Amino acid sequence: MAKIKTKRERVKFASDNVAGACPEVLDAILKANDGDSTPYGNDQISTELQDKFSEIFEKDVIVFPTASGTAANALALSTMTPSFGNIYCHKLSHINTDECGAPEFYTGGGKLIALQGVDGKITADELNQSIGGKGIVHHTQPSSVSITQVCETGEVYQIDEIKMISDVAHKHNLNMHMDGARFANALVSLDVTPAEMTWKAGIDVLSFGATKNGCLAAEAIIFFKKDLVGNIAFLMKRAGHLLSKMRFVSAQLDAYISNDVWLRNAKHANKMGKKLSEGLAHHSDIKLSYPTEANEVFAKFPRNMIEHLNSEGYKMNEDELDGKSTRLVAAWNTQDSDVDQLLEILKNSN
């Protein structure tokens, strides 16, 4: 008999961060714990990651594992943005709203230029119109562009959108960064290859997210342009992100990208997100705010429904984006029964 979840346990859908690590990742950590290993990323697992990621991306890449997405984003941007440089991003992007000034701190003062965009995504036209002041000593200098995939409204940048934004960036000699916190979710949504969604579309550096999709604490900075690597190793050490026992982070990434674990997890999360979205759409009082293209669902609920869900123990993320939409997120371990239970409770909210 399935366990009846108490109200206190219902943190499902608050975020995909509420999920634990998947079995393959946990097994890999235990295996990495057997015996001794060279520290500071010089272990065999970390070294072999370079070849494994290069195979996945169909290109020789340089990989630096990190323990958090904030570190991955901020350190990646610090390699391509000087202290007097601009980083163009969407106004809702994580680097602009949720990382406590980390990009500015790690770049030594780089300035975020927040773009309005459309439905959470920046556009090539707006970017092109916003870039200015190059060579003028009184202005911060255009240096880099950052896009989030999946973006902050749950929508996915299409390949042609990435290419057009990258073309504008490179036309102005700016570097392209992708915050791939939900990289796998976007990848399976588009049904393209990792290469097609990154360097073939003009991305220079990727923050490869894994924690939200089944890892314990593991991300990676992936360089497609070797000349951007620069002093990243020193920056990581100075920032406290060169872990002595890096093998445990690398082991997570190794298990995650092996045997299609990351793709299976993302496909399942997206499937559950779509099921939840379709269920909510059946309620005449609930309006979806944006198309559900991956595992995040944004909707506008009547106050009585939100209060009812809160009374049932759910943690409803209000004040998202426009202050009116509520975000629900499916994870790699979300079950059909979890979605069914939420939808059933909504039926009794009137």
Side-chain angles (χ1 to χ4, degrees), residues 79-80 175-176 204-205 223 225-232:
T79 68
M80 58 175 68
N175 298 304
M176 276 297 303
D204 300 316
V205 182
F223 289 90
K225 292 178 69 173
K226 295 182 180 180
D227 58 347
L228 290 177
V229 173
N231 295 319
I232 184 67

Side-chain angles (χ1 to χ4, degrees), residues 132-269:
K134 193 150 191 166
I136 300 175
V137 73
H138 303 286
H139 295 255
T140 48
Q141 293 298 289
S143 301
S144 54
V145 178
S146 180
I147 61 173
T148 309
Q149 185 74 314
V150 176
C151 81
E152 308 303 337
T153 60
E155 295 187 64
V156 176
Y157 278 96
Q158 302 300 302
I159 299 300
D160 61 337
E161 292 176 310
I162 300 173
K163 286 181 177 179
M164 287 189 291
I165 294 168
S166 296
D167 285 346
V168 171
H170 292 148
K171 180 183 73 174
H172 291 278
N173 295 317
L174 275 61
N175 298 304
M176 276 297 303
H177 167 256
M178 176 181 283
D179 173 359
R182 295 183 175 89
F183 184 85
N185 301 94
L187 193 70
V188 299
S189 176
L190 292 176
D191 191 23
V192 296
T193 67
E196 289 170 335
M197 201 172 77
T198 54
W199 64 271
K200 287 185 176 181
I203 300 300
D204 300 316
V205 182
L206 167 70
S207 295
F208 180 85
T211 304
K212 296 179 188 297
N213 193 41
C215 283
L216 186 68
E219 316 280 316
I221 306 170
I222 299 178
F223 289 90
F224 302 109
K225 292 178 69 173
K226 295 182 180 180
D227 58 347
L228 290 177
V229 173
N231 295 319
I232 184 67
F234 296 98
L235 294 171
M236 288 185 65
K237 176 61 178 179
R238 188 170 181 265
H241 283 280
L242 178 62
L243 305 184
S244 62
K245 297 185 179 180
M246 186 68 82
R247 70 184 185 274
F248 292 111
V249 177
S250 298
Q252 295 176 63
L253 292 169
D254 180 72
Y256 179 69
I257 61 175
S258 297
N259 302 314
D260 290 337
V261 169
W262 62 309
L263 301 178
R264 287 200 307 273
N265 285 356
K267 285 178 182 177
H268 178 77

